[in-house]
Amino acid sequence: VLIGAGADMLATRLEDAQFILIGEEHGFAGPPEIGKALAAAARPYGLRHHVVEVGPIATAWMSDILPRDGVDGLAAALDGRPLALPFLNMREDAELAKYFLDDRGDLWGVDQEFIGSSILHLERLEALAKTEEARSFVAELVENERNAFATGAQTSMFMFVAGDAEFAALVTHFAGHKEALRIIKGLRDSAPIYQAYARGENYKSNAERIELIKLQFMEHYNSSRGRAPRALFKMGWNHAGLGTTYLNMFDVGSLAEGVAATNSLEVLRLLIN
């Protein structure tokens, strides 16, 4: 429930807010708890979507588990899979996501696939393999990834080493398989972000990540039904602002402002730290 100092002021802004952007310092319970109260208050105005700082493939995996097994079930599914899911591996963030899924809403995963999520995705590809050749190829990738995480060998992890040859082989092994090719594309879009970082090209890594976030946000937005779909974002504060960031780039927060303006609606921003 939205109560306390400032609640009335925020409530008056909700009717005209196509997007609610919560910028946070990650790892604290307050932002997702406030987000849940805002989502409930904005529900009568058609708020149905939650933008999360998670890759779309991992988001889809989680969206199957949360409504069925709850927050504790998600925790059990993540057991033994370090770094498989950022942010939503914390209880309050998972409860916020579950609120939307339980209320006939959905989650828009807009980030790159996280470094540890490759274990989830490669295991899924192994399960989807139709031929022994494809299964054997992916099984070796899974084993290598498990060993890399077990030993802490970051430079041996899939996201840091997978190149054109590996992705071309995966596409060949799973030709015509819609789900598998979607997973492969998610990994392929994400790997260059980590590899640029590993080369010390931090600006390039961040720039590619921001462009991917904006692209995937618009893909979700354009595929949503109804006019001017409304969404609550909860992301790092640098993504949620207006104007150029410290990277001298326009992040998704600025894009959201433009989208809302085309619909004669507003953006409500909160910085919580």
Side-chain angles (χ1 to χ4, degrees):
V1 179
L2 196 62
I3 59 174
D8 290 342
M9 182 273 292
L10 291 174
T12 63
R13 298 281 305 278
L14 295 178
E15 183 174 2
D16 293 326
Q18 182 175 4
F19 302 121
I20 302 169
L21 271 64
I22 296 176
E24 66 168 2
E25 292 284 354
H26 296 309
F28 296 94
E33 290 176 340
I34 294 170
K36 189 174 178 180
L38 285 166
R43 182 70 171 79
Y45 306 115
L47 185 74
R48 297 288 190 281
H49 312 288
H50 179 26
V51 179
V52 294
E53 201 173 337
V54 182
I57 311 302
T59 300
W61 173 82
M62 180 196 58
S63 296
D64 286 337
I65 295 171
L66 264 180
R68 182 185 69 236
D69 301 331
V71 172
D72 290 336
L74 177 62
L78 290 170
D79 186 40
R81 294 180 164 122
L83 303 179
L85 192 67
F87 314 126
L88 291 167
N89 57 3
M90 294 179 278
R91 175 170 289 274
E92 292 81 6
D93 288 70
E95 288 173 347
L96 172 59
K98 188 175 186 299
Y99 168 83
F100 278 89
L101 294 172
D102 289 346
D103 200 31
R104 294 180 297 167
D106 63 352
L107 308 180
W108 294 356
V110 298
D111 212 340
Q112 88 272 18
E113 298 301 320
F114 201 46
I115 182 172
S117 70
S118 53
I119 291 177
L120 295 176
H121 305 328
L122 293 172
E123 287 176 344
R124 180 59 180 162
L125 289 177
E126 186 177 8
L128 293 173
K130 299 294 187 183
T131 67
E132 187 55 40
E133 185 180 9
R135 190 174 297 106
S136 176
F137 181 80
V138 180
E140 184 175 352
L141 295 177
V142 170
E143 184 65 20
N144 290 342
E145 193 72 344
R146 288 176 179 158
N147 289 337
F149 273 92
T151 60
Q154 182 170 306
T155 55
S156 298
M157 294 173 186
F158 182 83
M159 290 293 196
F160 286 96
V161 300
D164 290 342
E166 287 80 6
F167 286 115
L170 285 169
V171 168
T172 299
H173 284 308
F174 291 93
H177 195 299
K178 186 176 180 180
E179 181 186 351
L181 292 176
R182 187 168 64 91
I183 292 171
I184 294 165
K185 181 180 184 301
L187 292 168
R188 194 171 207 165
D189 288 344
S190 303
I193 295 170
Y194 291 101
Q195 292 171 17
Y197 174 79
R199 293 192 301 269
E201 299 174 3
N202 293 353
Y203 182 84
K204 177 179 175 63
S205 174
N206 280 287
E208 291 186 358
R209 181 187 176 209
I210 290 168
E211 289 306 311
L212 182 62
I213 287 173
K214 292 190 292 187
L215 173 66
Q216 294 185 152
F217 165 69
M218 289 307 302
E219 287 176 349
H220 283 293
Y221 182 83
N222 289 329
S223 66
S224 295
R225 291 177 294 176
R227 179 185 174 277
R230 299 192 178 211
L232 180 139
F233 296 59
K234 191 191 72 64
M235 306 180 75
W237 61 266
N238 52 306
H239 299 297
L242 180 62
T244 54
T245 68
Y246 64 89
L247 293 169
N248 198 32
M249 295 186 67
F250 290 99
D251 212 309
V252 69
S254 293
L255 175 59
E257 188 80 23
V259 172
T262 64
N263 295 310
S264 300
L265 292 168
E266 304 290 336
V267 171
L268 173 60
R269 298 173 200 278
L270 293 87
L271 174 61
I272 306 173
N273 58 17

